[in-house]
């Protein structure tokens, strides 16, 4: 029986039991997708990342408990944290991830991990059937990215008090739904929440990939190229963004809360 290290990491936070937890599995060879999906279901976190050394970096894949996803920010942040913490990559070197969304890179700047991700522009659209009924909101803007629905509401209070009907929301054809507004706290530019019952997660605590859409939208609205956001889930988390044409650099911290071994026959 072989052993592969597995970690649980809280991402986009500097405190344990906040931010977004992800499992990170270090594999010594590529694994079958069905097996990774079953492991992710066993981990039962919003995302489980699987890493295997590949060419000049690492192959990285992400799974929710029910599906494989093409892009995940917090599990990439967690993976970077583990690779540097475990000495798999020197701390002064960047990490190259080969993924379904192309090449992604991570660099370490002090305690801050920075991820170079593709921007996911939002196009204004009519709300699909059932979306607003499921959220029970009157939006000021509705849009859609390649992955998600994008809803802007009038105030932070509306964002924080949202209580979606997840059964209805699961019927909306998208990966998930982000809802945001300008922040009333001067420490942050905007606040958001992210709901994804379609992907097996009613509410994701902190969604890095959603900020590939949120950052460009609010950057244009506010006339900024550097932003700081708070995802107002029960756990909460802070995401920093730097906009660079068709890329978004996501910044955050991470902390390991669990380490063990995944036992394989």
């Amino acid at each position: 029986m072989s052993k592969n290290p597995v970690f649980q990491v809280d991402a986009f936070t500097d405190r344990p039991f906040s931010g977004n937890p992800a499992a990170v599995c270090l594999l010594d060879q590529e694994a079958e997708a069905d097996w990774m999906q079953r492991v992710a279901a066993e981990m039962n976190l919003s995302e489980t990342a699987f890493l295997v050394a590949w060419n000049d970096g690492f192959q990285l894949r992400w799974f929710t408990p029910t599906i494989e996803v093409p892009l995940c920010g917090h599990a990439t942040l967690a993976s970077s944290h583990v690779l540097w913490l475990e000495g798999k990559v020197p701390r002064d070197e960047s990490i190259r991830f080969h993924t379904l969304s192309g090449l992604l890179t991570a660099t370490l700047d002090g305690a801050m991990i920075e991820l170079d991700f593709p921007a996911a522009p939002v196009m204004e659209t009519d709300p699909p059937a059932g979306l607003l009924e499921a959220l029970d909101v009157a939006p000021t803007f509705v849009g859609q990215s390649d992955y998600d629905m994008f809803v802007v509401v009038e105030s932070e209070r509306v964002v924080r008090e949202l209580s979606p009907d997840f059964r209805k929301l699961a019927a909306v054809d998208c990966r998930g739904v982000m809802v945001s507004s300008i922040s009333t706290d001067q420490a942050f530019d905007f606040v958001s929440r992210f709901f994804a019952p379609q992907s097996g997660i009613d509410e994701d605590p902190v969604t890095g990939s959603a900020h590939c859409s949120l950052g460009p939208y609010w950057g244009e609205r506010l006339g900024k190229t550097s932003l700081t956001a708070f995802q107002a889930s029960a756990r909460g988390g802070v995401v920093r963004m730097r906009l660079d044409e068709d890329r978004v650099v996501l910044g955050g911290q991470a902390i390991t809360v669990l380490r063990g071994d995944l036992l394989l026959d």
Side-chain angles (χ1 to χ4, degrees), residues 2-263:
S2 62
K3 295 182 179 181
N4 291 81
V6 60
F7 306 80
Q8 185 168 319
V9 177
D10 290 342
F12 291 112
T13 184
D14 61 355
R15 295 178 293 110
F17 316 125
S18 59
N20 200 353
V24 178
C25 297
L26 302 183
L27 304 178
D28 53 15
Q29 60 184 359
E30 292 185 44
E32 294 292 332
D34 178 67
W35 179 85
M36 290 188 283
Q37 186 64 76
R38 287 185 283 120
V39 171
E42 184 77 9
M43 297 295 100
N44 199 32
L45 297 171
S46 59
E47 236 84 29
T48 298
F50 296 89
L51 289 160
V52 61
W54 194 74
N55 290 346
D56 58 348
F58 296 85
Q59 184 184 83
L60 171 60
R61 295 174 72 175
W62 310 276
F63 290 78
T64 78
T66 59
I67 63 169
E68 183 173 11
V69 295
L71 187 66
C72 179
H74 85 279
T76 307
L77 191 83
S79 298
S80 306
H81 168 79
V82 167
L83 291 173
W84 281 312
L85 187 71
E86 294 297 303
K88 302 296 184 182
V89 178
R91 294 176 66 86
D92 60 351
E93 291 186 9
S94 63
I95 304 173
R96 295 166 62 87
F97 295 112
H98 300 273
T99 79
L100 292 177
S101 291
L103 178 65
L104 308 176
T105 61
T107 56
L108 191 60
D109 183 9
M112 189 68 60
I113 297 170
E114 292 190 333
L115 307 175
D116 185 345
F117 270 36
V122 171
M123 299 294 292
E124 188 170 10
T125 187
D126 292 329
L131 174 64
L132 301 185
E133 293 82 357
L135 293 173
D136 192 23
V137 296
T140 61
F141 176 87
V142 176
Q144 187 170 16
S145 72
D146 288 343
Y147 307 120
D148 308 308
M149 295 305 303
F150 186 100
V151 178
V152 178
V153 294
E154 63 181 359
S155 71
E156 180 173 335
R157 179 185 61 81
V158 174
V159 173
R160 290 182 176 272
E161 293 181 359
L162 275 173
S163 182
D165 183 323
F166 292 116
R167 181 182 61 81
K168 291 181 179 178
L169 198 60
V172 179
D173 184 19
C174 59
R175 181 189 70 161
V177 178
M178 62 191 94
V179 183
S180 66
S181 77
I182 289 176
S183 176
T184 58
D185 185 338
Q186 292 186 351
F188 305 109
D189 294 294
F190 64 87
V191 297
S192 70
R193 291 171 69 188
F194 189 86
F195 308 105
Q198 304 92 327
S199 302
I201 309 152
D202 283 349
E203 180 168 6
D204 194 38
V206 192
T207 315
S209 61
H211 288 78
C212 295
S213 298
L214 289 161
Y217 174 86
W218 286 108
E220 183 175 355
R221 280 276 305 269
L222 301 174
K224 292 185 171 184
T225 56
S226 294
L227 303 101
T228 302
F230 183 73
Q231 191 155 329
S233 64
R235 292 174 64 98
V238 176
V239 182
R240 292 173 174 81
M241 290 145 282
R242 189 170 70 253
L243 310 179
D244 184 11
E245 297 183 351
D246 62 347
R247 309 293 294 182
V248 178
V249 178
L250 304 174
Q253 294 178 258
I255 185 166
T256 302
V257 296
L258 182 68
R259 187 192 193 285
D261 291 305
L262 188 64
L263 305 180

